[in-house]
């Protein structure tokens, strides 16, 4: 259907043309002013590129913006059926999303391993679905390669993109929104047992309970299944190098599972209080409020803001 590369190339040419035209206009105005006041020996009509207010295309910046827009569509902030901002509070209307459905639970997991090939709670699976809808299935692999090319790290395209979601997306989101994020990141610890995003404007008082009762159990079963597989592979292997690798992966999965089991009670305790958030109070107040019990105890469940 379409290559992101072709779209970017067209945008790059359009942005350059706009830039050149604006620069030409400003220099022409400078010439008129200089000639009008006889300042030819005092002033230079030329305008430096950095003084032009229109931005040129930037592949890394623009690809990251595309990723951010995709996440916005996953939460229903944007819709492929309408222009501009679609939902930023009020009554959420699922009927406004026909081409690409937002996540119904307002929780999107960011696992650092592929634990399922069809769970739409997984941000990578949802992102691939977005690319298929917007650009078509035929060009999916080439588009994934093009996106991955600007992201840090090595390896296959899917792994690089997943790693960006795990380690860098939230950092970039904080920069974009000047540390007042609209997507909040849950985090269980260093093992990445639980990492997930939530859209602030779709938050409801039962959000943490939904997260704990509907989302975490699926992740727990996936970890237990993969752990059992790795332990069986370790027991059945006779090659030292393979056994070492299977043991390492088993230990990593055990840490993830233990972190998840420790994170669940935190969600349970906070969820029990059905904490209300008020968008008018701003991000800083609400961010702390979601992690504080009525008696003032702080239970950390979110990444550092």
């Amino acid at each position: 259907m379409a290559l992101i590369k072709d779209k970017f190339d067209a945008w790059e040419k359009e942005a350059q043309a706009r830039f050149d035209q604006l620069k030409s206009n400003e220099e022409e105005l400078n010439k008129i002013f200089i000639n009008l006041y006889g300042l030819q020996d005092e002033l230079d009509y030329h305008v430096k590129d950095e003084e032009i207010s229109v931005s040129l295309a930037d592949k890394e910046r623009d690809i990251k913006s595309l990723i951010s827009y995709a996440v916005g569509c996953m939460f229903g902030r944007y819709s492929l059926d309408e222009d501009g901002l679609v939902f930023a509070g009020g009554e959420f209307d699922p009927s406004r999303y026909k081409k690409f459905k937002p996540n119904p639970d307002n929780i999107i997991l960011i696992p650092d391993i592929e634990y399922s090939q069809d769970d739409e709670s997984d941000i990578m699976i949802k992102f691939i679905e977005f690319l298929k809808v917007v650009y078509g299935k035929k060009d999916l692999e080439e588009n994934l390669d093009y996106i991955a090319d600007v992201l840090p790290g090595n390896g296959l395209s899917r792994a690089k993109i997943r790693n960006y979601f795990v380690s860098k997306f939230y950092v970039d989101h904080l920069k974009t929104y000047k540390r007042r994020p609209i997507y909040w990141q849950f985090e269980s610890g260093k093992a990445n047992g639980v990492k997930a995003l939530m859209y602030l404007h779709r938050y409801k008082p039962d959000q943490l309970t939904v997260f704990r009762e509907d989302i975490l159990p699926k992740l727990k079963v996936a970890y237990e299944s993969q752990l059992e597989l790795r332990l069986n592979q370790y027991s059945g292997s006779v090659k030292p190098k393979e056994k070492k690798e299977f043991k390492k992966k088993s230990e990593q999965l055990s840490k993830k599972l233990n972190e998840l089991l420790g994170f669940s009670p935190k969600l349970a305790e906070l969820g029990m209080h059905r904490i209300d958030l008020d968008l008018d109070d701003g991000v800083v107040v609400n961010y702390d409020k979601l992690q504080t019990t009525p008696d003032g105890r702080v239970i950390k469940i979110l990444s550092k803001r």
Side-chain angles (χ1 to χ4, degrees), residues 278-294:
D278 187 341
L279 295 178
D280 292 335
D281 290 338
V283 169
V284 175
V285 171
N286 284 316
Y287 209 79
D288 292 337
K289 188 177 180 182
L290 189 62
Q291 304 179 99
T292 308
T293 63

Side-chain angles (χ1 to χ4, degrees), residues 21-278:
Q21 184 62 57
L22 183 57
K23 182 176 181 180
S24 176
N25 291 346
E26 291 192 11
E27 289 183 339
E28 189 61 34
L29 287 173
N30 285 347
K31 286 180 185 179
I32 293 172
F33 175 83
I34 289 170
N35 290 333
L36 182 63
Y37 291 98
L39 299 173
Q40 291 86 348
D41 296 332
E42 304 293 331
L43 298 176
D44 181 4
Y45 72 87
H46 291 98
V47 178
K48 295 179 180 179
D49 286 354
E50 57 266 27
E51 294 174 349
I52 304 300
S53 57
V54 173
S55 297
L56 292 170
D58 181 293
K59 185 178 176 182
E60 179 178 348
R61 182 198 66 211
D62 295 340
I63 288 296
K64 287 181 178 180
S65 293
L66 172 65
I67 293 173
S68 181
Y69 176 74
V71 172
C73 290
M74 295 177 201
F75 282 118
R77 180 173 175 82
Y78 308 111
S79 171
L80 295 181
D81 304 291
E82 300 181 27
D83 293 331
L85 183 63
V86 172
F87 183 81
E91 191 66 29
F92 187 70
D93 183 2
S95 69
R96 299 177 72 180
Y97 311 89
K98 294 180 175 62
K99 294 177 184 175
F100 181 79
K101 302 292 185 183
N103 179 282
D105 300 312
N106 193 32
I107 294 290
I108 298 176
L109 294 171
I110 316 176
D112 58 8
I113 58 173
E114 183 180 297
Y115 69 88
S116 170
Q117 294 185 348
D118 58 5
D119 185 356
E120 291 192 3
S121 297
D122 184 327
I123 197 167
M124 191 62 194
I125 291 174
K126 200 66 176 168
F127 183 61
I128 288 174
E129 180 194 346
F130 171 86
L131 293 179
K132 287 178 180 178
V133 171
V134 177
Y135 300 104
K137 296 179 182 179
K138 175 178 174 291
D139 299 315
L140 175 64
E141 298 306 320
E142 192 167 345
N143 283 332
L144 286 170
D145 291 343
Y146 189 78
I147 292 168
D149 184 58
V150 304
L151 301 179
N154 301 308
L156 299 176
S157 296
R158 280 175 169 78
K160 284 185 69 178
I161 297 171
R162 182 180 290 280
N163 185 62
Y164 173 72
F165 279 125
V166 171
S167 60
K168 297 294 183 182
F169 173 79
Y170 193 65
V171 174
D172 288 340
H173 181 65
L174 286 176
K175 289 178 182 176
T176 299
Y177 284 86
K178 304 186 187 310
R179 309 197 76 79
R180 301 292 190 273
I182 58 172
Y183 310 132
W184 291 4
Q185 183 168 274
F186 294 96
E187 191 173 68
S188 61
K190 293 181 179 179
N192 286 328
V194 181
K195 186 170 280 191
L197 291 175
M198 175 195 78
Y199 182 28
L200 168 61
H201 297 284
R202 280 182 63 192
Y203 172 86
K204 292 183 178 180
D206 66 346
Q207 185 74 76
L208 301 184
T209 300
V210 170
F211 188 9
R212 178 178 177 267
E213 294 182 356
D214 296 349
I215 307 297
L216 283 194
K218 293 190 294 184
L219 190 58
K220 177 176 177 289
V221 169
Y223 284 159
E224 289 172 339
S225 176
Q226 288 210 7
L227 179 58
E228 183 180 4
L229 172 63
R230 296 306 181 190
L231 290 173
N232 288 337
Q233 288 174 325
Y234 173 79
S235 300
S237 177
V238 294
K239 297 179 180 178
K241 187 175 181 180
E242 278 188 351
K243 288 184 78 71
K244 183 178 179 180
E245 184 63 24
F246 291 142
K247 182 181 179 182
K248 179 182 177 182
K249 289 182 177 179
S250 298
E251 290 171 347
Q252 290 171 342
L253 285 164
S254 291
K255 288 179 181 178
K256 290 180 185 298
L257 183 57
N258 288 333
E259 255 193 17
L260 183 153
L261 295 174
F263 189 69
S264 182
K266 294 180 180 181
L267 290 180
E269 184 168 358
L270 288 167
M272 176 181 64
H273 299 294
R274 296 179 61 84
I275 298 169
D276 246 327
L277 301 182
D278 187 341

